[in-house]
Amino acid sequence: MRRRVTPAGGRRAGAAAAALVLGGAGVLLGVAAAPAQAAEVSFATHCVPPAGIEPVDGTTKVEVTAPATAKVGDTVDVVWTFVQAASKNPDIIDLPANSVQPSGIVKAAGAQAADIAMQGPRENPAIPKGAAMVLSAMKGSLKLTTPGEVTLTPDAYTVNAMSTDTKCTPTETVQKAATIEVTPGDGGTSSTSPGPSNTPSGSASSSPSPSASASASESGGSGQTDFTGKEVQVPYACKTPIGDKSATSPVQINARKNRGSYDLTVQFKKSVMDSPADIPKDSVKPSMEVVLGGADKGTVHVEGPTNANDIKSGDPIEIPDLTGTYKPGASGTSTLSPGVLTVKALGTTTTCTPQKTEVSLTLDTTQQPGGASGGTSSSGGSSTGGGTSTSGGLAATGSDDHGALKALGLVAGTAILLGGAVFTFLPGRRTR
């Protein structure tokens, strides 16, 4: 596939980009800009897969393509095409189509030094266990600032397979793969900037935090029945046989007064990623232990329904609202915070623990018989009330609690980043 791109400043494009073949996959990619050039380079590489899988030492072969000439002020496209990845798919599972995404760094040196962030789309054929990895071409961009010779050299890269990372690092000096001759510009700002789809997202900033003016709604005022909590950013830590995982998820706790108790609704505000595999209906069920603090103590169990429909590979996954009932066990000002999050999927359990307590809702409570404070039920009990855990409650969920994390079940090796926490799912064909 070939296409013509007119570089900045009105120069006529030379021969359009070189067509690059993605090793063995038969995927052709056109590269933008004036006469493009590339040379295949190979380098010894050390790859560290997820925990539980032995590191691999192999050889990476790539082509880096860029314009042969450009001028100061241009933004040029740089493409990294894998001829051979250093590691194969481990002998554990078959990787489904469109479940693998590469990212990495190309180092610019010479007249201009920079680390160019590269990323490829999550596009791949199904890869059987033990087979060679087939990785999409990665693309990045560089704005040229200085006249002279700029060299491009591939460096470290990461292979993300369904939210698990294999990190690969060169173990020898890598030869330059492309050179750009940069001429002085005319002072203008025109460039051959890539479109949004060409911008690497590996270093995207985190989601904005809630407004500083937001605060927990307190249960004041005569006759008030509905109480809206504030959205809080909850840092979850998950432990799994394929590596520790952590992510921050926005969560909000709301309440509706029901006589002396409160009907709770826990909402995950962050949209979730697309599913990398088919997930059958009624196979995924989330729950949480809401942490009580202030006047009250213990936890309140809330849970959501199972997925009502099949989730096809590539379709979005959503965390439903989690609901339960809080019966106060103390009079005074009580706080509610997101606690331990659990997802059960086809006989497996995944547990993620907040690294710190973030209060979402504050209520003025009145003690009810059999309420939460001083209760003896363990977390994860009936949804009609809460109780203290055997360690005296979950209000303190700092680093000292990490030893209590449950080992997460690895089901067919399929890990999905769901609402900021890591859960495991079974693709539906076989159990490991």
Side-chain angles (χ1 to χ4, degrees), residues 8-401:
R11 289 191 306 270
R12 297 179 59 188
L20 303 180
V21 179
L22 178 64
V27 177
L28 300 180
L29 180 65
V31 181
Q37 39 78 51
E40 181 178 311
V41 296
S42 63
F43 51 93
T45 311
H46 181 69
C47 295
V48 180
I53 303 175
E54 291 296 320
V56 174
D57 289 294
T59 300
T60 302
K61 296 180 180 180
V62 305
E63 286 184 347
V64 175
T65 307
T69 61
K71 71 176 188 297
V72 171
D74 286 351
T75 297
V76 296
D77 290 350
V78 178
V79 177
W80 167 325
T81 301
F82 285 92
V83 177
Q84 174 184 300
S87 62
K88 296 182 177 180
N89 181 22
D91 291 323
I92 299 176
I93 62 165
D94 296 333
L95 293 174
N98 303 329
S99 63
V100 181
Q101 182 176 40
S103 59
I105 295 291
V106 167
K107 289 189 171 295
Q112 178 179 347
D115 286 349
I116 306 172
M118 310 291 293
Q119 185 165 309
R122 198 177 292 274
E123 294 177 357
N124 61 276
I127 305 174
K129 59 183 178 181
M133 294 295 289
V134 180
L135 305 176
S136 63
M138 302 191 297
K139 193 170 188 178
S141 61
L142 174 66
K143 184 169 184 177
L144 302 173
T145 60
T146 309
E149 184 179 270
V150 176
T151 61
L152 303 175
T153 304
D155 197 57
Y157 62 94
T158 298
V159 178
N160 179 275
M162 298 180 298
S163 297
T164 66
D165 288 338
T166 295
K167 297 182 181 296
C168 297
T169 307
T171 56
E172 64 175 340
T173 300
V174 184
Q175 300 299 311
K176 67 180 182 181
T179 302
I180 306 173
E181 292 293 340
V182 184
T183 60
D186 56 9
T189 58
S190 61
S191 66
T192 55
S193 299
S197 63
N198 297 330
T199 303
S201 59
S203 58
S205 61
S206 60
S207 301
S209 60
S211 169
S213 63
S215 61
S217 297
E218 298 186 2
S219 53
S222 174
Q224 184 177 358
T225 58
D226 292 323
F227 307 98
T228 302
K230 71 174 180 179
E231 181 181 307
V232 291
Q233 304 294 319
V234 183
Y236 280 107
C238 305
K239 190 174 290 293
T240 164
I242 55 175
D244 293 349
K245 297 291 179 181
S246 62
T248 298
S249 185
V251 184
Q252 180 174 317
I253 301 175
N254 301 322
R256 170 171 289 182
K257 194 168 185 179
N258 184 359
R259 297 184 180 179
S261 299
Y262 296 87
D263 295 330
L264 302 183
T265 300
V266 179
Q267 299 175 326
F268 280 80
K269 296 291 187 176
K270 187 176 182 179
S271 15
V272 297
M273 72 170 288
D274 295 342
S275 173
D278 291 344
I279 301 174
K281 67 179 181 180
D282 296 326
S283 61
V284 181
K285 185 173 181 64
S287 64
M288 176 188 284
E289 309 309 316
V290 174
V291 178
L292 302 176
D296 216 342
K297 64 180 180 179
T299 59
V300 179
H301 182 76
V302 294
E303 61 183 38
T306 59
N307 53 310
N309 301 303
D310 293 344
I311 304 173
K312 298 296 184 183
S313 177
D315 287 351
I317 303 174
E318 299 177 355
I319 296 182
D321 289 351
L322 311 181
T323 59
T325 301
Y326 164 42
K327 182 184 290 187
S331 298
T333 301
S334 300
T335 61
L336 290 81
S337 306
V340 174
L341 180 65
T342 302
V343 170
K344 294 185 177 181
L346 297 172
T348 68
T349 301
T350 296
T351 307
C352 295
T353 300
Q355 295 178 299
K356 63 179 180 178
T357 299
E358 295 285 354
V359 174
S360 174
L361 182 64
T362 301
L363 298 171
D364 290 335
T365 57
T366 301
Q367 182 178 2
Q368 302 295 313
S373 184
T376 57
S377 64
S378 62
S379 61
S382 169
S383 62
T384 59
T388 58
S389 67
T390 55
S391 61
L394 294 173
T397 53
S399 59
D400 291 342
D401 296 302

